[in-house]
Amino acid sequence: MLLEGERLDYVNDSLSLIQKPEGLTFGTDALLLAGYMQGSYARGYELGGGSGIISMLALTRKKVGHATVVEVQEEYADLMRRNAELNGLSERMECVCADVRELVGNGTAEVVFTNPPYMKTDSGRANLASKKNVARHEVFGGIGDFCEAAKRLLKYGGSFYVVYRPDRLCDLIFEMRRCGLEPKRMTLVFANPAAEPSMVLIEGKLGGKCGLFTTPPLIIYRDEKNSEYGDDMKYIMEMGSFPDGFVKR
């Protein structure tokens, strides 16, 4: 199933993952977003699927019964189909090649989750590999477009999960509220105790009431050399979900 320039890796939950090394590969952001999802949803959408790993983690952990994964780059949509087949998930994972700005939703999805491009097209160092450029930069839509798509897809009260960059947190919250996706839970992620936050995870509800639960910070490594995972990160890697302290009861 491998094409030229691809490699096969074995990742969490005994999943086999075909990846394109010149594109974006499986990382901590994908693992944490899948772990941040709470509960179990019958049907959901992932916006900007890449290799499909986030949906595959959600499916194997029974957080989603069926996932429709939307990816604008045809070769990555094909990659997702092959990864789904390789892991026996083809019947539960539909891969669609489409632009999120053109998605027509019917307001029936229980959950939408996304690891969207986080850099404006006029900022950052443009990568020479166009695949990475599309994945990292807002070439095919910004965070507002992803929130608009989630609004069209979700039913009232549906959940929205997103991982994003802390330096664009204001943009994210503004666009979520503009689209009626009220932020309900937020976690800042730090590489180690001395580092600045590198990621932010947010759960929102379509039509939710005002009220944001800010969790304790997630510190991935317990030391500044990034040599040993902290207890919370060990729990996430083993259990596929965040510890109780990160969930409002």
Side-chain angles (χ1 to χ4, degrees), residues 8-9 11-19 26 30 34-35 37 46 49-69 79-90 92-95 113:
L8 182 64
D9 296 317
V11 297
N12 299 63
D13 296 17
S14 300
L15 289 169
S16 300
L17 185 65
I18 303 170
Q19 302 197 85
F26 176 54
M37 296 170 62
E46 180 183 358
S51 66
I53 184 58
I54 300 174
S55 285
M56 290 194 295
L57 288 169
L59 288 166
T60 57
R61 294 169 179 176
K62 295 180 172 53
K63 295 191 175 188
V64 178
H66 183 278
T68 300
V69 193
L79 176 65
M80 291 191 301
R81 295 184 190 105
R82 288 184 283 131
N83 274 324
E85 181 180 355
L86 181 63
N87 290 280
L89 295 170
S90 295
R92 299 172 59 207
M93 180 171 158
E94 179 185 4
C95 305
F113 47 101

Side-chain angles (χ1 to χ4, degrees), residues 162-208:
V162 57
V163 57
Y164 210 54
R165 277 181 32 157
D167 61 347
R168 296 200 60 196
L169 178 58
C170 291
D171 294 335
L172 173 58
I173 292 179
F174 173 84
E175 295 295 350
M176 286 180 65
R177 277 200 146 176
R178 183 179 65 83
C179 296
L181 301 165
E182 183 65 24
K184 300 299 294 180
R185 180 170 62 119
M186 181 178 76
T187 302
L188 284 170
V189 181
F190 299 76
N192 60 63
E196 294 183 356
S198 56
M199 282 179 269
V200 61
L201 294 152
I202 293 189
E203 173 189 3
K205 295 283 185 182
L206 181 62

Side-chain angles (χ1 to χ4, degrees), residues 18-25 49-52 71-83 95 131-132 135:
I18 303 170
Q19 302 197 85
K20 296 180 181 292
E22 79 276 18
L24 290 184
T25 52
S51 66
E71 169 57 47
V72 70
Q73 299 186 81
E74 177 58 52
E75 62 181 299
Y76 276 91
D78 173 70
L79 176 65
M80 291 191 301
R81 295 184 190 105
R82 288 184 283 131
N83 274 324
C95 305
K131 301 176 186 64
K132 282 188 178 179

